Amino acid sequence: MQLPSGVVIVAVASGLATVAGASVLISSGLRRTDARRPAHLLLASGAALATLSAVAGLIGILGMAEHWSHHQHQRMTLATVFAVGLAASGLVLCAGVLRLPGVARTRSALLRLVLDGLVIGSALWFVGWVLAAEPTRLLGDWIPRACPAILLATITAAGAIGLTFVVGVRSALPRRQLVLIGSGVTLVGVAGLGLAVGICQAGPVVALTGAALLPVGFLLVYAGGRAPEPAGETDADLILNGTGYALLPMLAMAVSAMYHLLRMGDFTVLGIISGTVEGFALVARQSVALRDVRAYAGRLAEREAHFRELAHTDPLTGLANRRGLLRALHHDSESGAPCVLLGLDLDGFKNVNDLHGHDVGDAVLAEVAERLRRNLRPGDVAARLGGDEFAVLMWAGPAEAQRVAERLLGIVGHPYDHPAGRIFVSVSVGVAGQASARQVETLLRNADLALRYAKQRGKNRVEHYDVAYDHLLRRRTTVEHEMRGAIERNELHLAFQPVVAVPSVRPVGAEALLRWHHPELGSVRPDEFIPLAEECGMIAQLGHWVLHRACHQLSVWLADGHDVWVSVNVSPKELHAPEYVAQVAEALRAHRVPPQRLVLEVTEQAVATDLDELIRRLVALRATGVRIALDDFGAGYSSLGQLRKLPIDILKIDHSLVAEQEPIRPPENGERRVFAPMVDVVMRLGHQLGLEVIAEGVTNPLELAAVVEAGCRFGQGQLFGWGVPAEHLEAMLDAATSPGARAVPAPRNRPAQNLGSVDSSREMRQA
């Protein structure tokens, strides 16, 4: 048989196109420098191997064209050589597909893809065998005869189709690259099958048709490599993936096998081998999946342990956090070992953040943690509970804990070197032992309570838990709770301590003092509930009540004809409240009290807080007409130089200055007089500044004599009476205004403020 000239032309053209396509792929792979270069070099190698096999097959076909039917043995040999070369090129091409970026990131994922492709390819080959074998013979006379080359070509084509399907389906969008490259590899496998069938059985036309498909496959591979979209990553789900790919092929094989048996077909060695390969591939696939699931579960367990440890670790310092400390405490309580808990809090750490910034503050906290870590014994647990609060859990007795706590005072309190400068902080330590607490939470609470009292008692010290702290805490909590309803329950009242003129001891004014009598707690001391009211934010409410009650009582006394003034204590928080000036003006208006009859007493604590702001507030208050008194002068922080700046009218000398008198002054004219040098100095300064001076805390005649000797006109203290109810003070006022009693002037306004000197009797007549 002689081939037509057109067939020869087609064969030559197919060969040239195949060589050109392979050359393009090789050139493209060599030019690449990105992550796809290894994959495209494999694809180019597979294309080159397929080209060599195809060219050899085409040459053989052309050489045997004249005596085609007489070269059966040579054609079988040629087909076998071609099929082997094509199978090798198919393996290389499939390897190139698997090396594409994102297809298989791990060896385990690569193995899963290969097994899944083998499962689908085996099932596809088995179904094709059933349809082609007796008795179905779907293709009739076109069914290939027993030829090793055709068998090998069908296996190669089925494997390429299975792998391409798995990779294409599992890849994430966009899939254009993988679909094009996989389609090209599949077409190369189909072309090889056509060449093998044509050489072995169907003739040159079929073989040349298969050869013509090779350059088309190469073109698809090249187009996939040129696609702009990156290769999508395959789905890495270890549980969902694999089930569907195993079920569908097995179902197809089962249906095909049942159909074959119903048609009275026989299972040959090839069918049995195909089923065996399918079974082994499925078992291997599930084994790999089970191994991956176990590895994944192990990684999850490791991550869970890691995150659990992170949940018990402070991220800034690396110490245990509150959860970690509680875990250690619970473990200790279960083991029964005695332990001691140290609570540590840095003193003045807020100033570090305010002056240097939080970055420097965090660096100091990290250094504190490192010092704690370096100076603890093996087995002890250091923790950061939050902010600048730390804790140390020790397995030791009280004596050892005391030594460690004292050592930590020096270690933590040592200066911290920083580029911003040396930073100094101290630390307060509260110690609680397991003997004082049966529960973990109670132990933590006891250490915190001891730490609180260490802060209250001067800081930079060690304080051990005492059961009395619990009583104090309960008392404090009860007082705070009951104080919130004391006004509504009418449990508060005012007591008035008289201010007298000396030496006549006639009452000319009174200081309003807040008193609280609770039906169960009894009389609660002011030094107990007033600081608590300042801490919990109730001082403004109490101050408002005191202001109105004092103004009301003052209006009653003035209406009864008494020449008197009333002073009210003002806390720093009230004084710095923007609405306080308006509240004072409203109280004066509501009770129709002359402003100069109301005196507002400011403590030296307010002076030490913010002098400039205090001056602005006092100026605004004095603009309403009230007078300002500086209370407890000489007991706190105020200096003599501040008196010139402060807009005040009255200076109240603290008892500590009154009590420092010299017992006997040298005789003058035969008289022996008591002399108080500090009172004398303050009196002279006050008079020079135009201030009225009141001596506080006069408790005995000797102190009274010293005050009178210094020239002080007004006194207040135990000698003249404690705080008494309003009716008792009113009786004293009635006695002072009885016929024949001499009027005593009230304290004057400061001349420097242009308020003028006020005579109390004249004010009374004008009122």
Side-chain angles (χ1 to χ4, degrees):
M1 182 182 76
Q2 186 174 0
L3 294 177
S5 59
V7 174
V8 175
I9 294 173
V10 171
V12 174
S14 298
L16 293 176
T18 302
V19 173
S23 300
V24 170
L25 286 179
I26 294 172
S27 175
S28 175
L30 292 175
R31 286 198 307 267
R32 285 188 175 273
T33 58
D34 55 6
R36 307 180 199 175
R37 176 182 172 85
H40 283 273
L41 288 178
L42 286 174
L43 292 174
S45 301
L49 188 57
T51 300
L52 291 176
S53 301
V55 169
L58 290 174
I59 293 173
I61 291 173
L62 295 177
M64 294 180 291
E66 295 183 359
H67 305 283
W68 181 264
S69 58
H70 300 290
H71 295 283
Q72 181 67 28
H73 179 71
Q74 290 84 347
R75 285 191 288 114
M76 290 296 181
T77 303
L78 177 63
T80 302
V81 173
F82 169 75
V84 171
L86 188 64
S89 69
L91 291 176
V92 176
L93 288 171
C94 290
V97 172
L98 293 175
R99 282 298 303 273
L100 287 172
V103 172
R105 291 172 294 176
T106 62
R107 293 182 179 179
S108 179
L110 176 64
L111 182 58
R112 289 198 303 271
L113 288 175
V114 171
L115 291 175
D116 287 339
L118 184 60
V119 168
I120 294 176
S122 298
L124 182 63
W125 191 94
F126 183 83
V127 173
W129 174 81
V130 169
L131 295 177
E134 296 287 350
T136 302
R137 293 182 59 84
L138 185 64
L139 299 179
D141 294 338
W142 287 92
I143 295 176
R145 294 189 296 268
C147 176
I150 296 177
L151 177 64
L152 188 58
T154 56
I155 294 175
T156 302
I161 293 172
L163 182 63
T164 301
F165 176 79
V166 171
V167 173
V169 170
R170 288 195 181 180
S171 63
L173 295 176
R175 300 171 177 166
R176 183 179 176 183
Q177 281 189 347
L178 289 177
V179 170
L180 288 175
I181 294 176
S183 300
V185 172
T186 301
L187 196 58
V188 170
V190 174
L193 177 61
L195 274 167
V197 171
I199 295 173
C200 286
Q201 175 180 346
V205 176
V206 175
L208 292 177
T209 302
L213 295 177
L214 275 178
V216 179
F218 294 161
L219 179 63
L220 291 177
V221 173
Y222 177 76
R226 298 281 295 179
E229 299 90 350
E233 293 185 357
T234 55
D235 192 351
D237 194 311
L238 301 178
I239 298 175
L240 297 179
N241 288 331
T243 303
Y245 299 104
L247 178 62
L248 293 178
M250 283 299 298
L251 182 62
M253 291 187 68
V255 172
S256 300
M258 292 298 296
Y259 168 79
H260 193 64
L261 289 175
L262 291 176
R263 294 293 302 271
M264 302 302 175
D266 294 331
F267 284 98
T268 63
V269 176
L270 294 178
I272 295 174
I273 292 175
S274 176
T276 303
V277 170
E278 179 77 7
F280 276 108
L282 284 173
V283 171
R285 176 63 175 85
Q286 298 307 316
S287 298
V288 171
L290 181 60
R291 185 195 66 184
D292 291 341
V293 169
R294 287 176 178 173
Y296 185 65
R299 290 195 300 272
L300 285 180
E302 292 177 359
R303 292 178 183 177
E304 182 183 0
H306 174 67
F307 286 118
R308 186 184 298 113
E309 190 62 29
L310 287 180
H312 293 84
T313 304
D314 177 62
L316 176 63
T317 62
L319 301 179
N321 58 12
R322 185 177 293 273
R323 292 190 187 92
L325 179 65
L326 289 175
R327 181 178 63 178
L329 283 170
H330 281 291
H331 180 269
D332 172 68
S333 62
E334 293 175 359
S335 64
C339 69
V340 176
L341 184 63
L342 278 62
L344 298 88
D345 189 86
L346 302 182
D347 304 325
F349 181 73
K350 184 177 183 299
N351 295 331
V352 177
N353 285 331
D354 293 342
L355 294 176
H356 304 285
H358 289 276
D359 291 340
V360 176
D362 290 345
V364 172
L365 292 176
E367 178 61 23
V368 170
E370 184 61 27
R371 293 182 185 184
L372 290 177
R373 191 182 291 110
R374 290 197 306 261
N375 289 276
L376 293 181
R377 306 172 310 167
D380 293 345
V381 178
R384 179 185 176 221
L385 305 183
D388 59 344
E389 186 176 356
F390 295 82
V392 174
L393 177 62
M394 300 178 54
W395 282 265
E400 178 67 16
Q402 175 67 24
R403 289 193 294 269
V404 172
E406 291 177 352
R407 187 173 74 249
L408 291 179
L409 284 182
I411 293 172
V412 178
H414 191 74
Y416 296 83
D417 294 325
H418 193 271
R422 302 195 81 185
I423 297 174
F424 297 87
V425 294
S426 61
V427 64
S428 299
V429 183
V431 182
Q434 196 175 29
S436 64
R438 296 183 178 180
Q439 297 180 350
V440 169
E441 291 76 10
T442 306
L443 179 62
L444 191 61
R445 170 184 169 275
N446 291 349
D448 185 66
L449 196 58
L451 176 60
R452 177 189 300 183
Y453 279 92
K455 302 281 280 188
Q456 291 181 357
R457 295 182 178 181
K459 304 179 181 179
N460 193 28
R461 58 181 293 152
V462 178
E463 194 71 34
H464 287 261
Y465 169 77
D466 193 312
V467 69
Y469 296 163
D470 278 321
H471 300 306
L472 294 175
L473 180 61
R474 282 194 292 269
R475 170 77 178 186
R476 174 190 176 89
T477 304
T478 303
V479 169
E480 179 181 351
H481 180 269
E482 295 298 321
M483 182 173 53
R484 296 185 182 277
I487 295 177
E488 291 76 8
R489 295 191 300 267
N490 295 321
E491 295 173 358
L492 301 180
H493 66 277
L494 292 182
F496 296 89
Q497 186 175 27
V499 179
V500 302
V502 294
S504 64
V505 195
R506 295 186 61 244
V508 294
E511 180 180 353
L513 304 174
L514 180 60
R515 296 292 183 261
W516 178 20
H517 184 80
H518 189 272
E520 296 180 1
L521 299 176
S523 295
V524 185
R525 294 172 54 88
D527 57 358
E528 180 181 5
F529 72 85
I530 289 181
L532 185 58
E534 292 181 345
E535 292 182 17
C536 68
M538 283 196 62
I539 192 65
Q541 183 180 358
L542 295 181
H544 185 268
W545 185 88
V546 170
L547 178 63
H548 278 269
R549 294 290 296 194
C551 288
H552 171 72
Q553 187 60 57
L554 178 58
S555 67
V556 172
W557 287 334
L558 293 176
D560 291 341
H562 297 296
D563 187 8
V564 68
W565 79 87
V566 171
S567 63
V568 174
N569 291 283
V570 184
S571 73
K573 290 187 178 181
E574 288 182 279
L575 192 60
H576 288 81
E579 65 275 6
Y580 186 70
V581 176
Q583 291 177 359
V584 171
E586 175 60 26
L588 294 173
R589 250 188 334 266
H591 300 283
R592 299 182 179 180
V593 172
Q596 67 273 13
R597 294 289 180 169
L598 179 64
V599 177
L600 301 179
E601 295 192 12
V602 181
T603 62
E604 285 192 317
Q605 181 184 359
V607 177
T609 303
D610 188 343
L611 182 60
D612 294 334
E613 177 66 18
L614 175 66
I615 291 175
R616 287 192 292 269
R617 296 293 181 182
L618 295 183
V619 168
L621 284 171
R622 293 185 81 235
T624 65
V626 301
R627 288 176 292 171
I628 308 297
L630 181 60
D631 196 12
D632 299 330
F633 181 79
Y637 305 99
S638 62
S639 65
L640 298 178
Q642 290 174 339
L643 295 180
R644 184 178 297 275
K645 300 179 182 180
L646 292 174
I648 60 176
D649 306 287
I650 302 172
L651 195 61
K652 301 187 74 172
I653 306 177
D654 187 71
H655 172 258
S656 61
L657 301 184
V658 175
E660 291 181 357
Q661 75 274 2
E662 295 180 0
I664 300 296
R665 188 175 182 179
E668 294 182 4
N669 301 326
E671 297 181 1
R672 302 172 67 86
R673 299 179 179 179
V674 180
F675 177 66
M678 293 304 299
V679 175
D680 185 72
V681 170
V682 175
M683 282 298 307
R684 294 176 184 273
L685 179 62
H687 290 163
Q688 287 293 327
L689 296 176
L691 302 177
E692 193 62 77
V693 181
I694 300 176
E696 284 191 295
V698 180
T699 59
N700 53 62
L702 192 62
E703 294 176 351
L704 174 60
V707 168
V708 172
E709 178 66 19
C712 186
R713 298 199 304 157
F714 300 99
Q716 181 181 355
Q718 178 183 355
L719 184 62
F720 314 121
W722 295 105
V724 295
E727 54 270 20
H728 292 183
L729 185 63
E730 186 173 357
M732 297 172 61
L733 294 173
D734 289 336
T737 57
S738 60
R742 181 170 57 89
V744 178
R748 303 184 304 272
N749 292 92
R750 185 173 181 175
Q753 303 297 329
N754 296 323
L755 294 180
S757 178
V758 180
D759 181 76
S760 61
S761 60
R762 186 179 63 205
E763 291 172 1
M764 190 63 232
R765 288 193 298 271
Q766 292 175 350

